[in-house]
Structure formats: structure tokens, C-alpha cells
Amino acid sequence: KAGVTQTPRYLIKTRGQQVTLSCSPISGHRSVSWYQQTPGQGLQFLFEYFSETQRNKGNFPGRFSGRQFSNSRSEMNVSTLELGDSALYLCASSLGGGGPGANVLTFGAGSRLTVL
Amino acid sequence: DQQVKQNSPSLSVQEGRISILNCDYTNSMFDYFLWYKKYPAEGPTFLISISSIKDKNEDGRFTVFLNKSAKHLSLHIVPSQPGDSAVYFCAASTISSGSARQLTFGSGTQLTVLP
């Protein structure tokens, strides 16, 4: 079956602009999580959506937002971009229940954002 | 406040020898632990996991050990192969809100297996 698809794979923006990233989860997966990866910081949790509702949110400013559609596809948006927002943004999907299987996230290849 | 720490940013091991990657955590509410592996230009992939009710889980060349009293887990790879060269992320999980589980990742360790 198809994996997690993220678009675009690479993009360059300038400070002050906004960006929207897209994620298509594995068919049947209802949970979509977003992570930011920067060198030395590992994967920082942004938010998680399940059945179109945000269930969890990490410690990121309000400039970072997301949403999930009825087909489980998700988008995240970053407004008023700053240089420090340059990172790899990873989307992951899972079944989303409360059991241990919910921990097994399947990640996409990521969207590499560069802010100039 | 890093709840999951991987204090070694990098590790080099000779092919055929054992690789030991370490991870420490601070939150006693974590009840499930995982290791993910990441190659360049790819997303992380799930490798192995362990529940807090166990102290060891083995899958082929990979074994994860959990020491709850020390809040420490480790990943052993025996024997190490050049294809194992990647960044390894430790992750810990707890119930966050309602039935939602949230994974907290460490900063990763770059493993290089030398031929």
C-alpha cells in the first residue's frame, strides 16, 4: 500500500512569507502528526490530528497551525516565516487508538523548508 | 526541558562488532519506548519497541533493554553492518489526553559502521 506522501519535498521562502505543507496518510490511518526536525534538536512535536480534531499540541508559537480533512489528509501552515523556521517538517500517520500500536508512526520523507 | 535525551550525537563502530546506543528519560509516566532509524532524505522508520512491563525485547540483530529504575534504555545491534549506518532516534510514549498517545523523541545518534 502507498506510504505517507508529503508535498512539496523542497521549498524556499523569504522571511515574512507564509507556507502550507501537505500530507496524505496511509489509507485507513486516522491520526496524523507533524514534527519539526532541526540539527541537534531531534524531532520536535508540533501537533496531532485525529478525525479532523486537534488532539495534541506541542510548544510552538501560534504561527504554526494545522488542519485535517475528512479524508484524513492534513495540512500545516506557518505564517510570518522566520529564519529559525528552516527545518525538515515530517508528517507521520498511525491508526490513532490508545494502544501501543498507536505509537508505531509511519513517516513521510518530509518537506525541507529553507527560509532566506 | 528535554524529557528524552540521547547524550551521544555520534558513534562509530567496526563492522561485525556490537553497537550500543543509549537513551535516558525523565518522565516516569512514559510506558512505551521505541527506536526509529533514519537515513538521509528519508523519513524515520520504526525499528523496535518495548513496553514498560518488560525489560528486554529482541528482534533479530536488534535488542532493546529497559531499566526503569534508572530511566534508561539502550539499543544493541549485533553484529553491526555498514547498512546500519543511520541516525537512530529514541522515543517514549504516554497517554496525553483522553486516548491520545504522544511520542517524545530524543535528539538522535548518528551511527557509523566502518567496513
Side-chain angles (χ1 to χ4, degrees), chain B residues 42-93:
Chain B
E42 296 181 12
T45 55
F46 169 73
L47 188 58
I48 191 169
S49 63
I50 187 167
S51 165
S52 60
I53 62 173
K54 296 186 175 181
D55 53 20
K56 176 183 174 182
N57 187 28
E58 198 170 347
D59 183 3
R61 298 186 296 113
F62 302 91
T63 303
V64 56
F65 295 91
L66 176 62
N67 182 334
K68 287 190 294 293
S69 60
K71 292 191 175 66
H72 177 84
L73 70 156
S74 60
L75 174 68
H76 292 209
I77 306 174
V78 183
S80 301
Q81 300 173 353
D84 296 329
S85 296
V87 177
Y88 288 79
F89 290 99
C90 164
S93 169

Side-chain angles (χ1 to χ4, degrees), chain A residues 9-10 35 37 40-45 48 55-57 88 90 96-100 102-110, chain B residues 2 32 34 36 38 41-46 49 87 89 92-97 99-108:
Chain A
R9 289 293 311 276
Y10 303 92
Y35 289 84
Q37 185 189 5
Q41 293 296 313
L43 281 72
Q44 302 291 313
F45 174 73
E48 185 238 356
R55 287 201 301 191
N56 278 316
K57 190 177 190 306
L88 179 68
L90 290 160
N103 297 300
V104 183
L105 304 180
T106 302
F107 283 86
Chain B
Q2 277 192 298
Y32 203 77
L34 308 93
Y36 283 79
K38 185 180 186 300
E42 296 181 12
T45 55
F46 169 73
S49 63
V87 177
F89 290 99
S93 169
T94 185
I95 293 285
S96 176
S97 59
S99 62
R101 280 196 161 266
Q102 181 174 329
L103 285 187
T104 302
F105 285 83
S107 55

Side-chain angles (χ1 to χ4, degrees), chain A residues 23-100:
Chain A
C23 173
S24 293
I26 287 176
S27 178
H29 283 189
R30 296 169 64 190
S31 169
V32 173
S33 300
W34 289 89
Y35 289 84
Q36 180 195 66
Q37 185 189 5
T38 53
Q41 293 296 313
L43 281 72
Q44 302 291 313
F45 174 73
L46 281 155
F47 27 66
E48 185 238 356
Y49 287 87
F50 181 82
S51 294
E52 302 178 65
T53 300
Q54 186 182 86
R55 287 201 301 191
N56 278 316
K57 190 177 190 306
N59 295 323
F60 279 81
R63 299 185 297 107
F64 292 81
S65 63
R67 59 178 176 168
Q68 186 180 35
F69 302 95
S70 58
N71 61 358
S72 292
R73 191 177 70 85
S74 177
E75 288 181 348
M76 68 162 282
N77 183 78
V78 188
S79 62
T80 319
L81 284 166
E82 300 176 358
L83 295 178
D85 297 334
S86 294
L88 179 68
Y89 290 88
L90 290 160
C91 165
S93 74
S94 73
L95 293 171

Side-chain angles (χ1 to χ4, degrees), chain B residues 8-59:
Chain B
S8 298
S10 63
L11 173 68
S12 291
V13 171
Q14 209 67 39
E15 181 180 4
R17 304 295 292 268
I18 184 171
S19 294
I20 300 176
L21 296 97
N22 294 303
C23 178
D24 297 297
Y25 63 95
T26 57
N27 188 345
S28 57
M29 297 300 291
F30 289 140
D31 61 356
Y32 203 77
F33 304 87
L34 308 93
W35 286 93
Y36 283 79
K37 178 171 72 173
K38 185 180 186 300
Y39 293 116
E42 296 181 12
T45 55
F46 169 73
L47 188 58
I48 191 169
S49 63
I50 187 167
S51 165
S52 60
I53 62 173
K54 296 186 175 181
D55 53 20
K56 176 183 174 182
N57 187 28
E58 198 170 347
D59 183 3

